[in-house]
Amino acid sequence: MSLFARLFRTDGRSAGETETVRRIAARLERLEPERARQLAAFAYVLARVANADLRITDTETDEMHRLVRERAGLSDEEAALAVEIAKSQARLLGGTENYIVTREFRELSTREERVKLLECLYAVAAADGTIDAAESTEIAKIAEELGFLREEANALRAPWRDKLSELRGLAKSTP
């Protein structure tokens, strides 16, 4: 039995660990367990935003794949696997896992890593050219779950203003 298999058995799991995080992390055996759990939660939260409008586009998937690969130094195959599992879990368990997995990421990460996650969430949401209202709302919820004040979250959103669908209408109607 591998180290991961022993670490993620139901009788020896870490507090706060979710089935979603265990499932993705188990596929990343070459990483240290805590790093694999953090990356699994990261991938899931990306998928959570991509699925906020109830569809995950190919461009969103490609962006998630790029971010997961770069963040962890994974091979293309490992990153693709982590993203596909995260997407599947977000589609199947979104309502019940969203807050729990995001809270787990918060516990496993530094503030700087949480800032980077929010930036990545905007990149995924904007991958298809527009951040729609559902995606924007989901990112705001995630920011709150990660412990950001509204002002902090708005500052991180500012570079993406031109992609926000709710602001595009205002810009067009302003003389």
Side-chain angles (χ1 to χ4, degrees):
M1 184 183 305
S2 74
L3 176 60
F4 263 92
R6 285 193 303 270
L7 287 171
F8 296 116
R9 286 181 17 206
T10 55
D11 61 349
R13 64 179 150 191
S14 300
E17 218 175 87
T18 65
E19 178 63 28
T20 296
V21 170
R22 280 193 304 280
R23 188 171 216 185
I24 299 167
R27 297 299 187 134
L28 303 173
E29 288 187 352
R30 70 179 179 87
L31 300 177
E32 292 188 22
E34 187 167 318
R35 180 74 176 128
R37 287 178 44 224
Q38 182 188 38
L39 179 61
F42 175 83
Y44 178 86
V45 177
L46 294 179
R48 173 182 172 181
V49 166
N51 195 46
D53 57 4
L54 303 179
R55 60 180 164 57
I56 300 174
T57 68
D58 290 342
T59 55
E60 289 169 329
T61 298
D62 291 345
E63 184 66 8
M64 290 168 50
H65 179 255
R66 182 187 70 77
L67 293 167
V68 169
R69 186 183 68 242
E70 287 176 3
R71 180 171 173 82
L74 298 177
S75 70
D76 281 340
E77 296 77 23
E78 290 169 320
L81 182 61
V83 166
E84 286 307 313
I85 294 170
K87 286 172 33 179
S88 173
Q89 293 293 104
R91 287 179 180 131
L92 292 172
L93 304 171
T96 57
E97 293 281 296
N98 286 348
Y99 175 76
I100 298 166
V101 174
T102 304
R103 182 182 63 196
E104 187 167 352
F105 183 84
R106 181 180 179 175
E107 292 169 1
L108 293 169
S109 62
T110 65
R111 179 164 175 77
E112 182 179 306
E113 290 166 330
R114 292 189 292 275
V115 166
K116 184 64 177 164
L117 172 62
L118 279 182
E119 293 168 349
C120 291
L121 294 176
Y122 281 110
V124 168
D128 57 4
T130 301
I131 300 171
D132 67 30
E135 293 166 330
S136 183
T137 299
E138 197 67 25
I139 294 171
K141 285 183 205 173
I142 291 167
E144 185 177 324
E145 292 166 11
L146 292 173
F148 290 98
L149 299 173
R150 178 171 283 152
E151 299 81 32
E152 295 170 315
N154 286 342
L156 291 167
R157 183 178 88 157
W160 301 97
R161 287 181 58 89
D162 65 324
K163 302 289 185 193
L164 294 167
S165 64
E166 65 260 24
L167 296 181
R168 283 184 171 181
L170 291 176
K172 290 178 184 175
S173 64
T174 306

